[in-house]
Amino acid sequence: FRARLVESFMTIRKLLPAVLAGIGAVSVSPVMASMGNIGTTYGVLPSDLASAQALSMFNSQVSATYYNPAYLAKDSRGELTTGLLHADHELRASSVGGGSAPLRDGDILQDSPSQQVLLGMKTDLTSLTQYDHPLYFGFMLGVEKYGEEMLAFNSQTSTSGQYFEYGRQPLFLNLGGGTQIWRGLDMGLSARITLHSEAELVATSTLAGETSYETLNVSAKPSIRPIFGLNMDWGESFCGEGDSCWFNGLETAFSYRGYSNTNTTVDSTITIPGTVLDPGINLAITTIDSYQPNIYAAGLAYGRERWRVGVTLEMQEWSSLEEELEGDTIKDQAVNTGGAPYELRFKDIVVPRIGGEFNINDTYKLTGGVAFSESPLDSNASLEVNYLDADKMILGLGLTAEYKSVPVLAYPVRFDLAYQYQQLDSREFDLYDRRSPSFPQSYETVEAEGDVHVFSGSITLKF
C-alpha cells in the first residue's frame, strides 16, 4: 500500500503542471520568470533605459504613470507611444569548490531573454469636465514575448541555483493621471495592476495519471496598488515671467510606489479508485512572482536651454519580502529557519542614479545615465530555493530624434533608441538541499556573476 501511495503522489505531481499551464502560469518549455519587473529592473521606455532611470521622474512621456504620474501634466499635448524592449541575460555560476557536487566551470544558468512589446497613451481629459482646469490621463502596457505571453511565470526550487531578479516578466500595466494643483506644483496618482490567479481541480485518476470526471475552475482578479507623485518647478513657482533667477530650470520630485506581486493559487483534490478514496488527496500551492517592494524616490533636476542633469535616490523596502514568502508553499522552507546558515534574508536598499541630456540641435538629443544597485539579498544561502544575486552597475545611453514637420501628420513625431548594460559583480553562494547526503552542510559553493544587455526602441506620435 505504501508503494501505491507514493505512486499516487507521483500521479498528482504529473497533473499539477497541466493545471498551471491551463491558467497560463507556466509554459511547456522553461520560462525563467523573476522577482523583478521591467520598470524597476530595466526601465519602461527607451528614455528611461538611457538615463538609468535617473531622469524618469522628470519624463513627461507615458512611462510617468509608473515613475511619477505628476509629470503627465508637464506637456499638454497628447501622445501615442509604441515600442519594443529586448533584454539579453548571460547569468553564470562557477563552482569554487566545497560540498559534494562536481565542479562547474562558468555554467550559464540563465540566458532566456525578456522581450516586451510596449504600448502607451496620454491625453487631456479637460473637455470631459465642466471646468477649464487641465486633467491628464495616461496608461502604459507591456506584454512579454512581443505580445504573446501575458503571464510569464515560473516558481520553483533549484539544485543548480536560480537568479533572483531577471527573466521574462508578467503583464506590466499602469494607468493614472496628473494635474497642476498650484503654480509650478503638480500632483499625480496612478495604479499598478497585477493579476492574482486561482485554479481548483477535482478529478478521478488512474495510477497511470489518466484523469476522468474532471472539474476545473479558474479565475483571475486584478490586484491594484497605488503610485503617488509630486513635482515642483521652482522657477515657475517663484520666478515671474521673463525674470532671470537661479530657480529657473530647477525641479524636484517625490514618488511612492506601493508593493505589488503576481500571485497564483492552485487547489487540487484527486481520488484514485481502490487506492485513494473520497475525499481524496488535497494538494494546495500558493506562490508569488514579479514582486515589487514599496519604493520611495526623490529626485532633483536642473537644466538650461540645451542640457539637463538629474539625480534620483530610491529607497526599496525588500525586507518585507520575507513575510510574503512565508505564505509561498514553494519557497517558504527557506525563511524562518531559526537562524540557520541557509536562511533566506532580505534587506532594504538605496539606489543612486545620475543622468543627463544634451540637445545636439533642434532635432537630436543624447541621453546618458549611470546607477548602482546593491543586491537586496542579504543572505548567501537559501535552502532548496538557492537564489543568486549580486550588486550591479548600470550604464545607459540613448538617442532621441523629434521631427517637428512630417508629411501628412499635423504634429511632431518622436523616435527613441536606447542601450543599457548591467554588470553583476562576483559573489559567492552556498547551495543547500535536504536530499543531499551532506545536509545540513552545503553541497556546493558557487560564484555568481553575469552581464545583461538591453535594447529598446519606440515611436511616439503627438496629437
Side-chain angles (χ1 to χ4, degrees), residues 39-116:
T40 303
T41 305
Y42 313 115
V44 179
L45 291 177
S47 51
D48 303 311
L49 270 76
S51 71
Q53 301 176 44
L55 294 174
S56 294
M57 297 182 68
F58 306 98
N59 185 0
S60 62
Q61 291 184 282
V62 291
S63 61
T65 57
Y66 180 75
Y67 296 108
N68 178 18
Y71 224 80
L72 292 170
K74 292 297 291 185
D75 189 343
S76 61
R77 298 172 296 179
E79 63 181 51
L80 178 65
T81 299
T82 183
L84 298 173
L85 179 147
H86 179 94
D88 267 325
H89 316 102
E90 188 176 297
L91 308 177
R92 302 175 292 274
S94 304
S95 178
V96 294
S100 59
L103 292 178
R104 290 185 282 174
D105 183 17
D107 283 0
I108 297 178
L109 290 186
Q110 186 174 329
D111 58 2
S112 175
S114 177
Q115 300 167 321
Q116 293 265 333

Side-chain angles (χ1 to χ4, degrees), residues 231-264:
N231 183 80
M232 172 168 277
D233 186 323
W234 291 76
E236 185 177 345
S237 296
F238 300 109
C239 300
E241 291 188 15
D243 290 350
S244 177
C245 66
W246 72 272
F247 278 143
N248 280 327
L250 178 65
E251 294 181 275
T252 54
F254 170 81
S255 74
Y256 164 75
R257 292 175 241 163
Y259 78 93
S260 64
N261 63 62
T262 299
N263 176 292
T264 294

Side-chain angles (χ1 to χ4, degrees), residues 133-149:
H133 189 76
L135 179 64
Y136 301 95
F137 170 81
F139 79 86
M140 191 72 227
L141 173 71
V143 184
E144 186 58 78
K145 207 174 178 181
Y146 295 139
E148 296 181 1
E149 198 171 77

Side-chain angles (χ1 to χ4, degrees), residues 7-59:
E7 191 172 358
S8 301
F9 277 106
M10 294 301 294
T11 299
I12 295 174
R13 289 184 63 186
K14 294 177 183 178
L15 293 172
L16 186 59
V19 178
L20 292 173
I23 64 173
V26 298
S27 64
V28 176
S29 59
V31 177
M32 297 303 295
S34 70
M35 285 292 180
N37 69 70
I38 62 168
T40 303
T41 305
Y42 313 115
V44 179
L45 291 177
S47 51
D48 303 311
L49 270 76
S51 71
Q53 301 176 44
L55 294 174
S56 294
M57 297 182 68
F58 306 98
N59 185 0

Side-chain angles (χ1 to χ4, degrees), residues 60-374:
S60 62
Q61 291 184 282
V62 291
S63 61
T65 57
Y66 180 75
Y67 296 108
N68 178 18
Y71 224 80
L72 292 170
K74 292 297 291 185
D75 189 343
S76 61
R77 298 172 296 179
E79 63 181 51
L80 178 65
T81 299
T82 183
L84 298 173
L85 179 147
H86 179 94
D88 267 325
H89 316 102
E90 188 176 297
L91 308 177
R92 302 175 292 274
S94 304
S95 178
V96 294
S100 59
L103 292 178
R104 290 185 282 174
D105 183 17
D107 283 0
I108 297 178
L109 290 186
Q110 186 174 329
D111 58 2
S112 175
S114 177
Q115 300 167 321
Q116 293 265 333
V117 60
L118 307 168
L119 181 64
M121 188 185 73
K122 185 184 80 169
T123 189
D124 186 352
L125 299 181
T126 308
S127 60
L128 296 179
T129 70
Q130 299 179 2
Y131 308 97
D132 293 330
H133 189 76
L135 179 64
Y136 301 95
F137 170 81
F139 79 86
M140 191 72 227
L141 173 71
V143 184
E144 186 58 78
K145 207 174 178 181
Y146 295 139
E148 296 181 1
E149 198 171 77
M150 298 183 70
L151 279 177
F153 197 112
N154 180 25
S155 185
Q156 63 182 11
T157 56
S158 173
T159 56
S160 58
Q162 57 182 320
Y163 273 84
F164 175 70
E165 197 174 355
Y166 294 100
R168 292 184 178 175
Q169 309 289 343
L171 176 71
F172 182 89
L173 179 59
N174 279 77
L175 54 89
T179 188
Q180 187 176 83
I181 57 176
W182 188 63
R183 186 178 64 192
L185 183 63
D186 303 319
M187 183 184 73
L189 292 171
S190 62
R192 167 104 165 98
I193 301 174
T194 58
L195 295 179
H196 287 190
S197 304
E198 296 181 0
E200 182 181 2
L201 171 68
V202 179
T204 298
S205 174
T206 66
L207 289 175
E210 298 177 359
T211 62
S212 58
Y213 308 108
E214 303 95 337
T215 300
L216 176 63
N217 294 314
V218 180
S219 63
K221 60 182 180 181
S223 173
I224 301 174
R225 305 301 302 173
I227 298 175
F228 169 78
L230 197 65
N231 183 80
M232 172 168 277
D233 186 323
W234 291 76
E236 185 177 345
S237 296
F238 300 109
C239 300
E241 291 188 15
D243 290 350
S244 177
C245 66
W246 72 272
F247 278 143
N248 280 327
L250 178 65
E251 294 181 275
T252 54
F254 170 81
S255 74
Y256 164 75
R257 292 175 241 163
Y259 78 93
S260 64
N261 63 62
T262 299
N263 176 292
T264 294
T265 299
V266 180
D267 191 359
S268 63
T269 302
I270 307 297
T271 59
I272 303 177
T275 303
V276 181
L277 304 179
D278 189 66
I281 296 177
N282 179 262
L283 183 62
I285 288 181
T286 297
T287 188
I288 68 171
D289 189 81
S290 189
Y291 178 83
Q292 175 196 276
N294 291 325
I295 297 178
Y296 304 86
L300 182 147
Y302 187 75
R304 288 303 185 189
E305 183 178 353
R306 297 192 61 180
W307 56 268
R308 182 171 66 159
V309 295
V311 177
T312 295
L313 291 177
E314 290 182 5
M315 199 280 279
Q316 303 180 0
E317 289 186 340
W318 284 99
S319 58
S320 300
L321 181 55
E322 293 178 23
E323 184 176 345
E324 292 285 323
L325 291 181
E326 289 179 6
D328 188 317
T329 52
I330 294 178
K331 308 183 184 77
D332 60 340
Q333 73 275 10
V335 295
N336 286 337
T337 63
Y342 43 73
E343 183 174 75
L344 181 60
R345 299 185 308 274
F346 297 93
K347 62 182 178 181
D348 301 336
I349 62 172
V350 175
V351 181
R353 307 179 187 274
I354 302 174
E357 299 174 340
F358 178 74
N359 295 310
I360 301 174
N361 52 37
D362 291 340
T363 302
Y364 297 102
K365 177 173 64 177
L366 280 175
T367 303
V370 60
F372 176 78
S373 180
E374 186 181 3

